Amino acid sequence: MKVHMTPRAKQLFDNHTLAELTEGLAEAYRGMEQEAEADGGPICDQYADEIEAYEAAIQTHKNRANSGFSPFNNMTYHEAIKK
């Protein structure tokens, strides 16, 4: 699945673990529920952009894990356990 990486999503991806991103996404949803306008508006738009960035960063982490992006991929079992 191709993910649209905005500069904010790339920043999140580069600086946070998957667990941190998941917690940040949950926090963004909680903030949106409390602060955003029900009918939409600038605050709602800001939260939507932030949530989209978190979701893109999370999906990129998952895509890399599923595609086997790991320093151990081209190693034998014995080479990997020596690392």
Side-chain angles (χ1 to χ4, degrees):
M1 175 183 189
K2 184 76 172 154
V3 177
H4 176 67
M5 289 291 281
T6 62
R8 176 65 176 142
K10 181 165 176 18
Q11 178 189 30
L12 289 169
F13 175 79
D14 290 343
N15 296 313
H16 298 283
T17 65
L18 182 56
E20 292 169 338
L21 290 170
T22 303
E23 178 55 37
L25 178 61
E27 192 174 306
Y29 273 116
R30 285 190 296 270
M32 185 174 185
E33 288 175 359
Q34 294 176 3
E35 296 177 29
E37 308 89 351
D39 294 332
I43 295 173
C44 186
D45 292 343
Q46 287 175 344
Y47 274 104
D49 291 344
E50 189 72 0
I51 288 169
E52 186 177 293
Y54 270 100
E55 289 175 344
I58 288 168
Q59 190 59 50
T60 302
H61 268 286
K62 289 180 178 180
N63 288 349
R64 287 223 172 153
N66 290 338
S67 69
F69 183 76
S70 168
F72 301 109
N73 279 350
N74 297 323
M75 295 181 195
T76 66
Y77 171 76
H78 296 292
E79 289 170 335
I81 61 173
K82 288 180 182 176
K83 281 260 173 193

